[in-house]
Amino acid sequence: MKKNAKKTLITIIVLALLAITAYESYSVVAPNERGVQVMLGEVTGSVLEPGVHFHPPFVSVIKKYSIVPKSMNINFSVGTDGAITKDMQTVGSQVTVFYRYDGAKIMDAVTKYTESLLGNVITKSLIASIKESIGKYSIYELVENQDKITADVSVSLKEKLAEYPIEVTQLTISNWDWSDDFDKNIKETMNRTQQVRQAEQDLKLAETNAQKQVAEAEAQKKAAEQMAEAELIKAQKAAEAKQVEADALAYYNAKVAQNYQVEIKLKELEIELEKAKKWDGRQVPEYVPLTASGAIVTLPEAKK
């Protein structure tokens, strides 16, 4: 019984050792990782891609590096650490940079650098890049050109980190800050700007009212001119009507006079006709003889 128990114990120990040995002889590199084999403190082989990788147990390990982007926040205070603008104003801001290990340079990350050293390199390079970019603008231009500043800082940072086994994936700048004195100046400037805008609005309102009055005066003048023109046309029409009436009356009178003369002529013809009917054949002198005193001379009757 004791021998069997001892054999069983030895078997269990051997199996346990085999299991531990098997477990220590392979590593799994995830899809978002890259691996490097380190044997007795020395890097061997090349960068290991995602998958299962076997290695000598106990004397070697697979060191893994995640290529998922990491973030780093850096705050610039308004004091001595702040950036100087083109108009010599000190500003602060909060910068967040996202970076990751470059899969093609993992071997350099293992053999040349430590994670803390790379963090310091990123911080110093970022500070230099942002100060260079902010120095190109005045403090009044920062917010307006924030997108351009962000792009410039990102390009500059990538250039500075080109020799290191990391790559910048994204960068953001936010929370601009400046001194209390400048903040006071901004408020005063905003108040003056508001006053200027109010004055401009008042001037525009006055101009609008003046233009309205001019338009109303012109409208009244035009209405008066139109009314005067209408009255003139009305007077002309009335005069023309009176002239037509006068012409009609004159025409009527002329016709009446003409008819009267015709009637007189007809009357004369009737008288002549009556005379002709009553004529006895004697010659009637064409004139009536008068004496010196004006008496009518009695002519002797003609013998029959």
Side-chain angles (χ1 to χ4, degrees):
M1 293 292 294
K2 292 184 178 180
K3 290 183 179 180
N4 292 334
K6 187 175 181 180
K7 289 182 180 180
T8 302
L9 178 61
I10 293 174
T11 301
I12 293 173
I13 292 174
V14 170
L15 292 175
L17 290 175
L18 290 175
I20 294 173
T21 302
Y23 178 78
E24 291 292 334
S25 64
Y26 78 95
S27 294
V28 178
V29 178
N32 57 3
E33 295 178 332
R34 299 295 182 270
V36 175
Q37 181 175 323
V38 179
M39 181 178 291
L40 299 177
E42 183 179 357
V43 176
T44 61
S46 59
V47 177
L48 302 177
E49 297 295 326
V52 178
H53 298 275
F54 294 94
H55 57 87
F58 307 113
V59 295
S60 67
V61 294
I62 301 297
K63 192 171 183 180
K64 304 173 186 177
Y65 288 84
S66 174
I67 58 173
V68 176
K70 303 177 182 179
S71 64
M72 176 183 294
N73 295 320
I74 300 177
N75 295 321
F76 297 87
S77 63
V78 182
T80 56
D81 294 335
I84 307 299
T85 61
K86 184 173 63 176
D87 51 353
M88 303 305 294
Q89 297 290 335
T90 303
V91 297
S93 64
Q94 179 178 339
V95 183
T96 301
V97 58
F98 294 87
Y99 70 96
R100 66 182 180 183
Y101 285 106
D102 186 351
K105 297 180 179 180
I106 290 295
M107 197 65 70
D108 291 340
V110 178
T111 58
K112 297 180 180 179
Y113 306 100
T114 62
E115 187 172 355
S116 61
L117 177 60
L118 291 175
N120 291 334
V121 170
I122 294 173
T123 300
K124 292 181 179 179
S125 299
L126 180 59
I127 292 175
S129 297
I130 196 168
K131 288 187 176 182
E132 290 173 2
S133 182
I134 291 178
K136 300 176 183 178
Y137 300 90
S138 69
I139 192 171
Y140 300 99
E141 299 171 334
L142 293 181
V143 176
E144 180 180 356
N145 294 278
Q146 179 163 330
D147 291 342
K148 182 172 176 51
I149 294 173
T150 301
D152 292 343
V153 172
S154 180
V155 171
S156 176
L157 181 60
K158 289 178 181 179
E159 292 176 351
K160 288 180 172 57
L161 298 177
E163 61 180 283
Y164 296 95
I166 51 178
E167 56 181 0
V168 176
T169 60
Q170 186 179 355
L171 184 142
T172 59
I173 301 176
S174 59
N175 299 330
W176 293 105
D177 191 18
W178 40 73
S179 65
D180 294 338
D181 291 338
F182 186 75
D183 191 32
K184 182 179 179 181
N185 292 335
I186 289 179
K187 292 180 180 179
E188 292 177 354
T189 302
M190 291 177 64
N191 291 333
R192 288 194 296 268
T193 302
Q194 184 65 28
Q195 293 174 358
V196 170
R197 290 179 177 175
Q198 185 63 43
E200 291 176 348
Q201 292 179 355
D202 294 341
L203 178 59
K204 288 181 179 179
L205 181 60
E207 291 176 350
T208 301
N209 291 334
Q211 292 174 356
K212 181 179 179 181
Q213 293 176 357
V214 171
E216 291 177 351
E218 290 179 351
Q220 293 176 357
K221 179 181 177 182
K222 187 174 181 180
E225 291 176 350
Q226 292 176 348
M227 185 178 296
E229 183 178 357
E231 292 294 334
L232 178 60
I233 294 174
K234 182 178 179 181
Q236 290 176 349
K237 295 295 183 182
E240 291 176 357
K242 289 183 178 180
Q243 183 63 41
V244 171
E245 183 180 357
D247 292 343
L249 181 60
Y251 178 77
Y252 173 77
N253 291 334
K255 289 297 182 182
V256 170
Q258 183 179 2
N259 292 336
Y260 182 70
Q261 293 296 327
V262 170
E263 290 179 358
I264 293 175
K265 191 66 175 178
L266 291 174
K267 194 67 176 174
E268 290 177 349
L269 291 175
E270 289 179 359
I271 294 172
E272 291 295 329
L273 180 60
E274 290 297 326
K275 286 182 179 181
K277 290 179 179 180
K278 296 179 180 181
W279 183 49
D280 55 3
R282 292 184 297 175
Q283 181 68 32
V284 180
E286 295 179 356
Y287 65 93
V288 179
L290 300 174
T291 63
S293 61
I296 299 176
V297 178
T298 300
L299 296 177
E301 293 182 1
K303 294 182 178 181
K304 296 181 181 179

